[in-house]
Amino acid sequence: MALKILAVAAEAFPLAKTGGLADAVSGLCRSVQQAGAEVTLLLPAYRGAARHVDNLHEVARLENLPGGAAVLLAGDSPELGTSVLLIQNDDLYDRDDLYVDSNGMEYVDNAVRFAMLGQVGARIAQGIAQVPRPDIVHVHDWHAALVPLYMRQWGVNSVKVMLTLHNVAFQGIFPLDVANSLGIESRFCTESGAEFWSQLSFLKAGIQYADLISVVSRNYAREILSPQFGCGLEQVLAARSDRLVAIPNGIDAELWNPRDDIYLAGRAFDIDRMGDKEACKRELQRNFQLVPDCNATIVAVGSRMTTQKMADVAAQALPAALDAHPDLQVCILGHGDKAIEADLRELGRRYPGRCGVKIGFDEQQAHMLHAGADILLHGSRFEPFGLTPLYAMRYGTIPIGSKVGGMVDTIVDPGRESGITAMRLATGILFEGEAPADMEMAIARAMALRRHPQVWRAMQHNAMAANFSWSRSTPLYARAYQSLRPDIPMETKVEHVGAESAPGTRKEATVTSFALAAARSETVDARRAANRRIRSRGRAARVGSLREVPAS
């Protein structure tokens, strides 16, 4: 008997995607399915989602949902290797964008749209004819966070529910007086329930009523208990700390693989054969209308253009970096805040041939960005995990990341005082601060390291060899599921990580406790110890000094 998991989310690649959430959900679903569970993914039937589902057919008509009736469609996703359920209500979901209108404003009926998603997830847990009843419902972020509330309201206790927090800054906050129209009883609209400063918080509801809560990186699990990163929910999270577990995200190592990447059009390369990375660089320069120059250093920016991602800071820091480094070129891909988009477009006009800007998202362009660039610039005011730097590392593109959240766990940087020799064991560069000068100095440090080819090649090798695949995280999720349903065994292999892993990572993936104290895991402790050893080696055998490299 296989453990049956219903995954409920607002997006999953390739059915619907706006950012890293889609990649995280699809990667997790695929890996858990491969580990022996039966996974079904529940999503809204957005425009175009059905194209990625085979054998699609109606299994139920659901009445009296928030927003009206819906048709539940079932099929299979060949790309995910899982079953899929789609909620069809064209008035709510057949739109140009998942969350916002053409002006970048959130749809006014988002509360209804995602309450419908939550209620359908809870009804499946309650039992719908022709739909397998799950053993565990795994919900992702605020969009699906009403599922545990509805399950509690309806007395669905035999099915357990797990909530994964991908980003607590986005909470699904709406006027409290909409609760009745969403089918939420008044007893759940209190301070001990979903009420949040006299408003309704979908995410708080999930935190309060889920049986288990996971956080997508160990450092972020600690950060969200502080006022700086908890976004007002730090006390709510602390009160449920006995049900919190930190399980790092993974990446799809097959999709993001320079050796077999279908998006590179035959320009394959790997850790021991890097020649075609130069071909990808030429193609990237052509695509972004940059001056063809094999000696230029390309800095890529590929993320949402928002203040969270410090895109506003990048718009101010990059002109100074371009002025200071004549051999620097910049490629920017993404979309988000309209004012920031305009600032970055202006940057492209100001530096023709040296800065190319493309507003929007294209999967092939994203892969080429990582394959052809030398450096990824990924500033962030907060970063729960940070998938994009790991994609870049797979392609030998060195990430510059903010020293926050999951990037602290995944990017190895001995520090600016450790010396050039110590950087041979690094995988990237971390910087602190949110000022343009902080980002400028981090870029300058990377540019100085580029003048040491052997050190740079060692960093590329370390980055490409690091193992952040889902094979590391799946056993942790298996243990988490097992803690909720110990009566249903789930067979899964615990991966032993060898020399291909990043310095300081664990040798075996295990869960020892579901208390948040376990977030202070040996992974972080080992990484800190490794960094101390790196610093010691750098001081003992220093052939250069980071005085040569401007501090970040």
Side-chain angles (χ1 to χ4, degrees):
M1 180 173 60
L3 189 70
K4 294 189 289 296
I5 308 292
L6 176 68
V8 186
E11 54 184 279
F13 180 79
L15 286 80
K17 176 176 176 176
T18 64
L21 175 62
D23 290 339
V25 170
S26 61
L28 175 59
C29 288
R30 185 185 298 108
S31 65
V32 170
Q33 176 83 19
Q34 292 171 350
E38 290 183 6
V39 178
T40 300
L41 174 65
L42 175 67
L43 277 177
Y46 302 114
R47 184 180 299 168
R51 291 198 302 265
H52 300 279
V53 183
D54 291 345
N55 306 314
L56 199 61
H57 60 283
E58 180 182 319
V59 291
R61 288 184 174 270
L62 304 176
E63 304 290 340
N64 302 316
L65 294 169
V71 175
L72 191 61
L73 306 172
D76 301 293
S77 168
E79 288 128 313
L80 289 175
T82 67
S83 299
V84 172
L85 293 169
L86 296 178
I87 306 166
Q88 186 177 55
N89 179 306
D90 290 346
D91 290 339
L92 295 182
Y93 301 127
D94 185 20
R95 301 181 182 180
D96 292 336
D97 193 274
L98 273 58
Y99 311 120
V100 298
D101 61 23
S102 58
N103 296 315
M105 303 298 294
E106 292 186 4
Y107 293 128
V108 295
D109 58 352
N110 272 350
V112 173
R113 297 172 76 232
F114 294 109
M116 176 180 282
L117 174 66
Q119 208 169 100
V120 172
R123 286 202 190 181
I124 293 170
Q126 191 178 39
I128 294 177
Q130 299 186 60
V131 179
R133 193 179 185 201
D135 304 304
I136 295 172
V137 182
H138 190 163
V139 303
H140 296 270
D141 265 1
W142 75 264
H143 320 89
L146 286 186
V147 172
L149 184 153
Y150 289 130
M151 289 173 63
R152 181 71 62 89
Q153 181 172 294
W154 301 338
V156 183
N157 300 316
S158 59
V159 176
K160 300 301 180 183
V161 60
M162 179 174 178
L163 166 67
T164 293
L165 302 176
H166 296 269
N167 195 334
V168 301
F170 301 101
Q171 301 176 8
I173 295 177
F174 302 97
L176 191 60
D177 58 14
V178 305
N180 184 60
S181 65
L182 303 182
I184 301 173
E185 297 175 5
S186 59
R187 61 191 172 109
F188 293 97
C189 298
T190 63
E191 185 178 353
S192 61
E195 184 268 331
F196 183 70
W197 294 97
S198 300
Q199 294 183 291
L200 175 69
S201 170
F202 281 35
L203 191 63
K204 185 186 176 190
I207 293 169
Q208 294 287 56
Y209 299 118
D211 297 298
L212 188 64
I213 305 156
S214 69
V215 186
V216 295
S217 75
R218 295 176 176 89
N219 191 52
Y220 189 61
R222 289 188 291 272
E223 288 179 339
I224 59 176
L225 294 186
S226 70
Q228 181 180 358
F229 295 101
C231 302
L233 291 173
E234 57 274 6
Q235 294 183 4
V236 178
L237 290 161
R240 299 226 63 202
S241 62
D242 62 327
R243 303 309 300 161
L244 279 167
V245 54
I247 305 179
N249 270 339
I251 65 172
D252 187 329
E254 294 181 7
L255 180 64
W256 297 94
N257 181 0
R259 188 173 55 249
D260 301 308
D261 194 324
I262 61 173
Y263 294 111
L264 301 189
R267 302 176 185 88
F269 61 94
D270 59 31
I271 195 169
D272 298 313
R273 186 171 53 87
M274 296 286 284
D276 272 354
K277 185 169 175 66
E278 293 300 318
C280 292
K281 185 172 188 173
R282 292 192 296 271
E283 180 66 14
L284 188 63
Q285 289 172 326
R286 188 186 66 80
N287 287 345
F288 280 80
Q289 298 181 327
L290 303 179
V291 173
D293 183 358
C294 62
N295 295 316
T297 294
I298 298 182
V299 170
V301 179
S303 65
R304 296 193 311 277
M305 294 175 180
T306 63
T307 55
Q308 178 200 337
K309 298 297 184 181
M310 289 173 66
D312 56 327
V313 178
Q316 299 175 65
L318 286 171
L322 284 161
D323 290 340
H325 306 283
D327 57 337
L328 176 64
Q329 296 181 343
V330 177
C331 296
I332 300 173
L333 175 67
H335 61 93
D337 183 280
K338 298 302 180 183
I340 297 175
E341 288 181 3
D343 289 342
L344 292 171
R345 279 196 180 101
E346 177 57 30
L347 183 63
R349 287 189 288 267
R350 182 176 166 187
Y351 294 90
R354 295 189 62 203
C355 179
V357 180
K358 293 193 175 186
I359 303 300
F361 178 80
D362 178 85
E363 194 72 26
Q364 182 169 359
Q365 292 275 11
H367 282 247
M368 187 58 71
L369 196 73
H370 293 304
D374 300 293
I375 297 166
L376 173 79
L377 179 60
H378 194 79
S380 194
R381 288 180 165 89
F382 56 93
E383 188 65 73
F385 181 66
L387 287 169
T388 305
L390 303 189
Y391 297 153
M393 287 163 62
R394 288 281 286 170
Y395 293 78
T397 296
I398 300 301
I400 298 174
S402 297
K403 200 172 183 178
V404 295
M407 289 190 287
V408 173
D409 297 335
T410 55
I411 298 174
V412 178
D413 179 5
R416 60 186 180 180
E417 295 90 8
S418 299
I420 294 295
T421 300
M423 295 302 292
R424 290 176 178 272
L425 298 177
T427 62
I429 292 170
L430 293 170
F431 72 95
E432 297 182 89
E434 300 176 5
D438 300 318
M439 187 177 286
E440 291 168 32
M441 287 190 289
I443 295 170
R445 184 179 170 203
M447 295 296 290
L449 285 166
R450 284 274 288 163
R451 294 197 292 269
H452 299 268
Q454 291 184 340
V455 173
W456 193 261
R457 181 71 184 99
M459 293 174 66
Q460 287 181 307
H461 188 281
N462 296 337
M464 297 178 77
N467 180 7
F468 294 108
S469 70
W470 279 104
S471 64
R472 297 176 55 83
S473 302
T474 305
L476 306 182
Y477 275 108
R479 293 286 188 90
Y481 295 150
Q482 208 69 78
S483 75
L484 294 174
R485 292 301 303 263
D487 54 315
I488 305 176
M490 178 177 173
E491 294 295 330
T492 185
K493 179 182 178 182
V494 177
E495 293 284 341
H496 290 264
V497 181
E500 76 281 4
S501 63
T505 51
R506 298 182 73 176
K507 295 300 181 184
E508 185 175 342
T510 58
V511 173
T512 57
S513 170
F514 291 111
L516 187 63
R520 299 186 60 188
S521 68
E522 60 193 75
T523 298
V524 177
D525 294 337
R527 188 174 299 283
R528 288 173 177 163
N531 284 340
R532 286 194 295 270
R533 291 194 298 272
I534 292 168
R535 294 189 188 101
S536 176
R537 292 176 196 167
R539 283 188 286 268
R542 186 167 299 188
V543 297
S545 169
L546 281 190
R547 294 194 186 102
E548 303 169 15
V549 183
S552 66

